[in-house]
Structure formats: C-alpha cells, structure tokens
Amino acid sequence: MDADVLIAGAGCAGLSLAVHLLDAAPDLEILLLDPRESHVRDRTWCFWSGARHPFEDAVRHSWNRWRVVTDRGEVERGSESVAYQCIPADAFYERALDRIERAPRARLARGVSVEGFRQSEGSVTAVTSAGELRAARAYDGRPPEARPVPPGEIHWLQHFVGLEIETVERAFDPGVATLMDFRIMDGADIRFMYVLPLDERRALVEDTFFGGETRPEAEYVDSIRRYIRDRLGVESWTERHRERGAIPMSTVPPVESALSRVTPIGVRAGLARPATGYAFLAIQRRSRRIAVHASRVGLDSPPASGRPYPRATAFLDRVFLAYLDREPRAAPEMFRSMFAGVEPERMARFMFDGGSRSDRIALMRSLPAAPLIGQTLRSLGPALRDATRRT
Ligand SMILES: Cc1cc2nc3c(=O)[nH]c(=O)nc-3n(C[C@H](O)[C@H](O)[C@H](O)COP(=O)(O)OP(=O)(O)OC[C@H]3O[C@@H](n4cnc5c(N)ncnc54)[C@H](O)[C@@H]3O)c2cc1C
C-alpha cells in the first residue's frame, strides 16, 4: 500500500478532511493528491458563526450587523450572539498545510492529477498522472463533472467576481456587511452586489448572479467599478485582490460513487447548499463525521453517505429555487422580507443547515403566502419522486 488513505483534491474538502483525520485518527497514513503547484488566496469563505470547526483562528472578520438593500428600501439586522464571519483562503490553506507538514504520516503530492479509481479485494487504486497509487480507502474531492439536468430539476450556477479594494479616504463601516444590494438588478437575471467591509478603508465587493451563464470577467469588473463610484461614493481606490467563482445551486442529487472504497467529498458530494451555494460549514460537519467513522469503525466499511442536507431543508430549497426560477423579479423583495421578518438567530440557523422546524416555519411565514403555496404544491411531485427513489 502507498498509504492508508488517499485524498483526491487538496481544496477545502480534502484539506479539511485531512485535518479532521489527523485529530481523530492520527495513526493513519494520509496522501493528498492535487494538480496545484501552490495554494494562494483564490476565494473567501463566509458563513454564520455557531458551529465549531478547526479553522476558527483563521477567521479574519466578523460582522454582528448585516443588511439587504432593494429599490424599495433596506433592512438592517444584527445580533450579539450570531455573527457573519469570513476566512480568506490563504489563511485557511496556511493552517491546513502547516498541520499536514507537521504530521509525520501525512503528505501532499503536488502536480499530481487523479484520473480515476479501480477497486480490488481490500484496496482501491488511484490512477494518477504520477502512476498508480494504492490505499485502503480513497476520498474524492475533485470538482464534479458536468452532467445533464433531469426534467423537473433545477441546476443554477451562482457566479461572481469580487474585488478587494483599498481607498485613500475612510469609506466603509466595518461593523455592517451588505449581504445583498439588489439595486443593480436591471432585468430578469437575479443579480446583487455583496459588500464585506474589512476596515474603514478596505472592502471586498462582489457582483453576484444566481443562475444564467457566466460572463466575461470584464463585465463583472465594470459593474463593480460603477457600483463603487455611484453607490458607495468612492472615486479612487487600489485593487488589492480579485477572485472569481461559480458554485452549483442545484436540486440534482450528487452522483454516488460506484466503488464502495471511494467516498465523494465536498461539492462533489452535493455539499453546496442548493438555495445559497454555501458549503464551508457543511464540509466541516461532513469531514468530522467521516473522520470519526474512520477512527471508530475503520476504513473497510464506507461512512454513511447520508443526505447532504436534511430532507426538510432540501425540500424548502427546492421550493425557493423553483419559485425564483419562475419569478426572478420577485427575488429582491423576497430576500428583504425574509431578513426583515425572521429573527437573526433563526435566520443564521436556517442559512447554516436549514434550522429547526420552528425556524423553517418562521421563514415561510415571512414570505408572501400565495405564490409560495402554489410553488410548494408544484414541487411536491419531484420531491416525492426523489423520496421514493432514495428510500
Ligand atoms: C470563489 C468562491 C467563493 C466561495 N465562497 C463561499 C463562501 O463564502 N461560503 C461558503 O460556504 N462557500 C463558498 N464557496 C463554495 C465552497 O465552499 C467552495 O467551492 C469550496 O472550496 C468547495 O470545496 P471543495 O473541496 O469541494 O472544492 P475545491 O476547494 O475547489 O477543491 C477541489 C480541489 O480539487 C483539485 N483537483 C481538480 N482536479 C483534480 C484532479 N484531477 N485530481 C486531483 N485533484 C484535482 C483542485 O485543484 C482543488 O484543489 C465558494 C466557492 C468559490 C469558488
């Protein structure tokens, strides 16, 4: 064997799993494989506080107040007990890679691409650009392959470009994050600006779309520059960092691995939340579960794949996506009502993993009843099909 465990992909899920495995099962020999030659800041992970994870000391900023803005007004909410937090990827990578480097039995092989897996009695073989590698179990965190969208399912991309800028004059209130400013929405595309002020002179400003095709980078950048000038009133600034992303927002169930010794992880395992695209905390939760399973049960039996999100959450996400698919112009007021009508702590729990039954009821009550009831009934067909397929 080349290792006990192979991890294909040293991104968020692969590195998180390695760190969780080092905590729960330090004797395992872990080999991570990734074509990347380096890890640089390529994204910024944001999430709601409340869940424990091993990267808490990488949190760079927390906001206890946040707002949603539309043409009709704005809502600002806040909480002493819940914060919206962010971790820049470089801080995350540094902590994870440092932990792996210090572990005597863990190693990252850079410049190595995994092409596929083959299983035999008692082991799995990864076919890679550096030859074949064998282990007792493999975790597959490669980006998922594109596939056709079955009828009745929704598959959107949340696509965006963000600029981190630094201004000469004080320009931002670092206490308040703008989660969605819909005033830039001018057609049927659901589009908003996301502004994370890091201090009084620095902010990450992202032009974000829910759905539609990705666009040339210059289009997002022009729109961000216009927004900074016209809406934020800033005339001159320096661009410090740029990031670009496209995250699935999808009701299509993830593909399960045909091999019992290969476990999908991360976005490949469907952990990007359909209604939001958020995945960071779900990746931490799933990594912990897999690591505990490896330590208590061993590597021969697969960890329960489980649903990426609870059934009720997945259903509500389907209703949201289907409704917005039919009524994209309703998005701004729908989000504003939701943030206005639901207590911040409930909202944070809902955004994290769907929250409790009463959180979901509070959320539904904050929204216009008639159109959502119609959509709920329409969504029941595919949801029932999905439930019967999986039970
Ligand atoms: C720009 C951006 C911002 C985001 N912001 C947030 C956020 O604020 N909050 C949130 O919760 N979620 C966010 N997400 C969504 C999600 O958390 C991230 O996409 C997260 O990185 C997903 O982790 P992952 O490990 O599945 O994929 P990745 O982190 O993308 O890792 C995949 C890894 O696989 C490697 N790889 C590719 N091909 C191969 C191969 N053939 N063999 C081996 N390895 C391979 C890649 O090099 C990469 O390292 C964001 C995503 C992006 C792109």
Side-chain angles (χ1 to χ4, degrees):
M1 294 269 197
D2 297 286
D4 297 313
V5 162
L6 293 176
I7 300 179
C12 182
L15 291 171
S16 299
L17 177 60
V19 167
H20 282 272
L21 282 169
L22 288 171
D23 284 340
D27 291 338
L28 290 181
E29 190 169 348
I30 302 169
L31 176 55
L32 291 113
L33 308 163
D34 198 300
R36 296 188 199 216
E37 292 296 349
S38 65
H39 281 77
V40 293
R41 179 173 171 197
D42 56 359
R43 60 200 67 187
T44 306
W45 284 289
C46 291
F47 45 84
W48 297 89
S49 65
R52 304 222 52 179
H53 56 80
F55 302 100
E56 282 171 43
D57 63 347
V59 170
R60 175 167 165 209
H61 204 98
S62 286
W63 295 268
N64 285 95
R65 302 200 67 76
W66 48 86
R67 53 185 211 134
V68 171
V69 186
T70 73
D71 282 330
R72 294 206 214 152
E74 73 170 67
V75 54
E76 185 176 315
R77 301 299 306 257
S79 164
E80 283 308 309
S81 60
V82 167
Y84 191 63
Q85 302 189 311
C86 83
I87 297 182
D90 49 347
F92 169 88
Y93 294 143
E94 194 184 304
R95 270 155 192 80
L97 293 171
D98 178 59
R99 186 75 203 284
I100 290 162
E101 251 165 49
R102 285 188 291 110
R105 294 172 65 76
R107 189 164 66 85
L108 164 62
R110 293 189 178 280
V112 178
S113 212
V114 174
E115 283 143 27
F117 295 96
R118 209 175 51 234
Q119 184 163 317
S120 49
E121 187 67 29
S123 72
V124 59
T125 300
V127 180
T128 81
S129 55
E132 299 201 341
L133 295 162
R134 209 157 65 88
R137 174 155 298 281
Y139 301 99
D140 190 359
R142 292 174 296 163
E145 293 79 24
R147 60 204 164 100
V149 179
E153 302 292 347
I154 296 171
H155 184 87
W156 284 358
L157 279 184
Q158 177 181 146
H159 49 101
F160 51 90
V161 167
L163 304 186
E164 188 175 309
I165 60 162
E166 186 170 343
T167 61
V168 179
E169 307 290 334
R170 289 183 186 163
F172 308 111
D173 174 355
V176 189
T178 300
L179 300 181
M180 297 170 145
D181 183 344
F182 284 105
R183 288 174 299 170
I184 61 165
M185 193 167 147
D186 55 5
D189 287 324
I190 300 176
R191 180 182 197 180
F192 56 88
M193 222 39 105
Y194 174 64
V195 185
L196 300 180
L198 304 166
D199 60 35
E200 290 177 332
R201 293 190 175 84
R202 275 180 323 133
L204 177 64
V205 186
E206 282 188 4
D207 183 13
T208 308
F209 288 78
F210 281 1
E213 300 289 319
T214 57
R215 301 174 171 211
E217 189 157 314
E219 273 190 39
Y220 306 83
V221 171
D222 286 350
S223 132
I224 296 170
R225 289 183 177 149
R226 254 194 325 275
Y227 179 82
I228 295 171
R229 266 193 299 271
D230 300 348
R231 300 287 184 182
L232 302 180
V234 174
E235 281 303 324
S236 70
W237 65 84
T238 309
E239 185 182 322
R240 294 284 179 217
H241 162 78
R242 189 180 286 200
E243 63 188 49
R244 172 165 200 169
I247 316 170
M249 295 172 73
S250 179
T251 61
V252 182
V255 176
E256 289 179 18
S257 171
L259 306 178
S260 62
R261 285 184 181 268
V262 179
T263 304
I265 56 174
V267 170
R268 190 178 191 88
L271 294 188
R273 174 91 182 265
T276 63
Y278 283 40
F280 184 82
L281 290 181
I283 287 174
Q284 302 311 317
R285 198 170 45 212
R286 179 65 66 91
S287 300
R288 181 176 307 113
R289 249 185 37 208
I290 293 178
V292 167
H293 178 92
S295 127
R296 295 200 184 141
V297 184
L299 298 173
D300 284 335
S301 83
S305 58
R307 292 173 163 270
Y309 289 95
R311 194 187 296 265
T313 306
F315 178 68
L316 211 53
D317 283 7
R318 174 186 288 280
V319 172
F320 271 145
L321 285 187
Y323 176 61
L324 291 179
D325 202 40
R326 292 166 62 94
E327 302 284 347
R329 287 191 171 82
E333 290 314 310
M334 183 172 130
F335 281 100
R336 193 163 70 97
S337 316
M338 218 156 74
F339 276 91
V342 182
E343 290 162 44
E345 295 76 15
R346 281 193 192 282
M347 192 69 195
R349 285 196 296 269
F350 174 74
M351 299 291 265
F352 168 36
D353 64 356
S356 64
R357 191 159 171 266
S358 69
D359 295 337
R360 288 191 294 275
I361 291 171
L363 194 103
M364 291 301 274
R365 288 174 68 172
S366 73
L367 296 170
L372 276 171
I373 289 170
Q375 187 54 58
T376 303
L377 295 174
R378 275 190 290 273
S379 297
L380 272 171
L384 287 175
R385 263 203 319 275
D386 177 46
T388 37
R389 203 168 46 226
R390 284 156 162 247
T391 47

